[in-house]
Amino acid sequence: MTIKVLITGSSGQVGRALVERLRQQTSDYIVLAPQRAELDLLNTTAIQDFVLHNRPAIIINPAAYTAVDLAEDDTETAYRVNAEAPQALAEAAAKLGIPLIHFSTDYVFDGEKRDQQGQLVPYHESEACAPIGVYGASKRAGELAVMQSGCRHIILRTSWVYSDFGKNFMLTMLRLAGEREQLSIVNDQWGAPTSALWIAEACIDIMQQALRATYGEASSTVRLNTSADSTELTESAQWWRTHGGVLHLTPRNWTNWQQFAAAIMQQAHSLQLINKLPEVKGIPAAAYPTRAKRPSNSMLNTARLRDLFNIEAPLWEDGLQACLRRIYDEKTETNTDTGKGNGMNVKLKDELKDELNDKPTSSVQIPYQNPAFRLLGDERGSLIAVEGNKDVPFEIARVYYIFGTKDGVERGFHAHKALKQVAVAVRGSCIMKLDDGQEQIDILMNDPAKSVYIAPMVWHEMREFSEDCVLLVFADQGYDESDYIRNYDAFMDAVRLAKNSATALSSIKNSIANTASKE
């Protein structure tokens, strides 16, 4: 038997890192990582129904509404995702007698803590919370809802999260390094930049300790169908009294945004991830006004993490180095390819060959080359020309583009009965999820010469838009609302009825397999 783990927010930085790491331990865990169509965090009834139906052994909830500025004007959504959804998860966990690990933030504090000499000092878990904005207030409401639910819980507060994917400060700095000679970065806000990769490692360590405390040393064979009666152990209750509650999960040292930006530039330049070093100039937060006020002090004390869980928080510089090294390694692997065929790296081709021989997983990220646009140009620059029935597999009847997508917003969530489309990210990046009712593929769109074919009867969703993303779409028909299927259950019903529907995902995999076999 293996352990069933429910992870929410799997498209976010922490959620994605958790899923990736746990799925590397396939013999130990069954990972439930539902997408929005499967688990709507705005629907508390659906949340509880999902948990009670799937009966995981533990829930990890990194999902959150993290658009700090937008939250000031979208209070309802922020509270529904950050407070009501955690409450629903916690109540379901209490009914099943299973533990919940919930993620929170440094924004629950006002950021004004200082010692008698006026120096900023870190917050301890037990100190009074006083959020100064809607985002922090909604996250604090979520903490309280979890605490009051009666479920066994651990609340992990973290700060300044970054990773090698998604939207975050580190990736923004790497992009700006190629665009500007000088950067003005705030230097009077202090905290600990925290890598999602390390968060995932530490969280899994905490999870394993919690599972052993809840189900005993044989937690590697814990029953999938748990109940409250099976976990009422004296030793377990004692462990949860001492180890449960709030825990700070950040590096053990601190910096400000300007110093963090400078370190990103220095380390990235040494790894040849950027070609030049822009000047990083420090400015006060007052010179960079935002809709929501940020805490001046986001420093969190991590002694409890060490004392209770024997986890030594790293230096933030080490986390940054590991994250940039991962980007470097991926870039190096890609650059070692021969450049023939579809241009994917050799390691990824081998992985795909193995994947094609296995049963489909819930989500597989693969490159896309279907169709590839003709890249033209000269010494002045590049040019791409798109012609119907030549560069795209249909006559073009309509062209539209998606841009200016707000932080944290996901788009799409529909299928078409007959419409054919080809999408390309002409600027920036996003993730395109395709689902033909049998298998799902996550596609990173970040190349204006590579596109994605969206066949009829393929459910598609788009997420993790970069700030500058412009998504261009070619279609073979004009707008027709009657061609849309906007409900996922209705889509699945239609798939079952239309057994002979075209499956774009199979075509993509076959194309990749054929190309890989020729290399």
Side-chain angles (χ1 to χ4, degrees):
M1 280 277 190
T2 50
I3 301 170
K4 187 184 290 186
V5 182
L6 170 59
I7 300 176
T8 67
S10 59
S11 63
Q13 295 184 88
V14 174
R16 181 169 164 179
L18 279 165
V19 171
E20 178 182 297
R21 184 54 58 93
L22 280 174
R23 282 182 174 161
Q24 293 172 353
Q25 307 176 40
T26 53
S27 62
D28 297 325
Y29 302 104
I30 295 174
V31 180
L32 298 178
Q35 299 296 314
R36 180 179 175 182
E38 304 166 89
L39 181 61
D40 184 359
L41 295 178
L42 297 177
N43 187 332
T44 54
T45 300
I47 292 171
Q48 293 209 14
D49 289 346
F50 185 93
V51 174
L52 297 176
H53 174 74
N54 286 281
R55 304 182 72 84
I58 190 168
I59 302 171
I60 304 178
N61 180 42
Y65 182 106
T66 58
V68 177
D69 291 319
L70 290 177
E72 296 298 310
D73 301 307
D74 193 11
T75 303
E76 180 181 358
T77 304
Y79 270 86
R80 290 177 69 183
V81 176
N82 293 343
E84 295 176 16
Q87 179 179 2
L89 289 168
E91 290 175 352
K95 290 178 182 178
L96 293 176
I98 64 174
L100 166 66
I101 297 177
H102 173 67
F103 278 84
S104 191
T105 173
D106 55 292
Y107 277 64
V108 298
F109 297 115
D110 61 10
E112 298 299 327
K113 183 180 179 183
R114 298 175 183 270
D115 61 17
Q116 293 181 347
Q117 288 72 42
Q119 299 298 312
L120 297 177
V121 289
Y123 286 93
H124 292 263
E125 288 88 347
S126 59
E127 294 190 58
C129 296
I132 56 177
V134 171
Y135 168 66
S138 66
K139 290 297 291 181
R140 178 56 178 167
E143 289 186 357
L144 293 173
V146 170
M147 294 174 186
Q148 296 165 5
S149 68
C151 78
R152 293 181 172 94
H153 65 270
I154 296 172
I155 297 172
L156 301 178
R157 290 183 186 144
T158 190
S159 68
W160 296 18
V161 179
Y162 66 92
S163 68
D164 59 331
F165 47 80
K167 295 179 65 175
N168 58 71
F169 182 82
M170 184 195 73
L171 292 182
T172 298
M173 291 300 103
L174 293 179
R175 175 176 58 82
L176 292 177
E179 300 175 1
R180 302 181 187 177
E181 298 292 333
Q182 184 185 83
L183 300 174
S184 297
I185 308 296
V186 171
N187 63 2
D188 57 357
Q189 294 173 350
W190 290 79
T194 311
S195 166
L197 305 178
W198 175 74
I199 291 175
E201 291 178 4
C203 180
I204 291 172
D205 191 341
I206 293 167
M207 178 197 75
Q208 291 170 338
Q209 295 185 49
L211 287 171
R212 286 193 295 270
T214 304
Y215 303 106
E217 288 299 324
S219 62
S220 60
T221 57
V222 65
R223 293 185 304 278
L224 296 184
N225 291 324
T226 58
S227 65
D229 293 339
S230 67
T231 61
E232 292 299 328
L233 302 174
T234 302
E235 291 183 3
S236 173
Q238 179 60 36
W239 188 92
W240 280 102
R241 273 196 292 269
T242 57
H243 290 69
V246 180
L247 196 66
H248 288 168
L249 190 67
T250 70
R252 64 179 186 269
N253 60 332
W254 308 283
T255 187
N256 61 50
W257 289 111
Q258 180 203 8
Q259 293 176 357
F260 183 32
I264 292 169
M265 300 305 178
Q266 291 288 346
Q267 292 193 28
H269 189 262
S270 68
L271 291 171
Q272 298 182 325
L273 295 176
I274 58 176
N275 296 322
K276 59 182 180 179
L277 278 172
E279 179 187 358
V280 181
K281 178 183 176 182
I283 60 171
Y288 186 73
T290 55
R291 179 71 177 85
K293 184 181 179 182
R294 270 66 171 171
S296 297
N297 181 2
S298 291
M299 296 156 50
L300 304 180
N301 184 288
T302 60
R304 193 166 187 263
L305 178 70
R306 180 194 63 236
D307 296 344
L308 293 181
F309 292 88
N310 198 30
I311 297 175
E312 186 67 41
L315 300 173
W316 68 262
E317 295 93 338
D318 293 340
L320 174 62
Q321 184 177 43
C323 190
L324 290 173
R325 170 61 65 173
R326 174 164 152 149
I327 296 176
Y328 171 81
D329 290 342
E330 292 173 352
K331 179 181 178 182
T332 302
E333 287 174 0
T334 301
N335 290 342
T336 58
D337 188 25
T338 61
K340 298 179 180 179
N342 62 9
M344 73 183 80
N345 64 67
V346 175
K347 177 183 176 183
L348 190 49
K349 284 183 181 178
D350 292 339
E351 291 174 351
L352 283 171
K353 288 177 183 177
D354 294 338
E355 178 63 34
L356 290 166
N357 293 326
D358 296 333
K359 293 181 180 180
T361 59
S362 61
S363 180
V364 181
Q365 184 165 322
I366 65 175
Y368 57 95
Q369 295 284 328
N370 191 16
F373 291 155
R374 294 169 292 155
L375 183 59
L376 310 174
D378 51 29
E379 68 278 359
R380 297 170 297 174
S382 300
L383 169 69
I384 292 175
V386 180
E387 298 180 25
N389 292 322
K390 185 174 183 180
D391 301 288
V392 297
F394 49 74
E395 190 68 38
I396 299 172
R398 181 171 176 244
V399 178
Y400 62 95
Y401 49 97
I402 298 170
F403 65 100
T405 302
K406 295 180 178 180
D407 185 28
V409 171
E410 300 179 354
R411 306 182 75 157
F413 295 94
H414 62 263
H416 290 280
K417 301 171 186 175
L419 184 70
K420 300 174 184 177
Q421 299 181 96
V422 168
V424 57
V426 298
R427 184 177 182 183
S429 65
C430 69
I431 299 291
M432 172 79 74
K433 174 184 175 182
L434 300 181
D435 177 355
D436 68 357
Q438 300 180 41
E439 52 186 320
Q440 302 171 2
I441 297 176
D442 278 355
I443 301 171
L444 173 62
M445 303 183 65
N446 64 351
D447 190 329
K450 300 175 183 178
S451 62
V452 172
Y453 174 58
I454 307 172
M457 292 305 298
V458 170
W459 185 269
H460 49 285
E461 304 171 6
M462 296 161 286
R463 66 179 189 273
E464 296 185 28
F465 289 86
S466 65
E467 185 177 356
D468 59 343
C469 182
V470 178
L471 195 66
L472 184 66
V473 184
F474 303 93
D476 74 332
Q477 301 176 27
Y479 173 80
D480 180 4
E481 182 61 34
S482 65
D483 186 62
Y484 282 77
I485 303 176
R486 298 188 182 275
N487 179 276
Y488 188 76
D489 291 336
F491 163 71
M492 291 301 298
D493 290 341
V495 168
R496 285 187 283 268
L497 292 173
K499 294 182 180 180
N500 295 323
S501 294
T503 57
L505 304 187
S506 297
S507 298
I508 293 173
K509 280 195 170 184
N510 289 336
S511 173
I512 292 171
N514 291 336
T515 304
S517 65
K518 295 176 183 178
E519 292 297 310

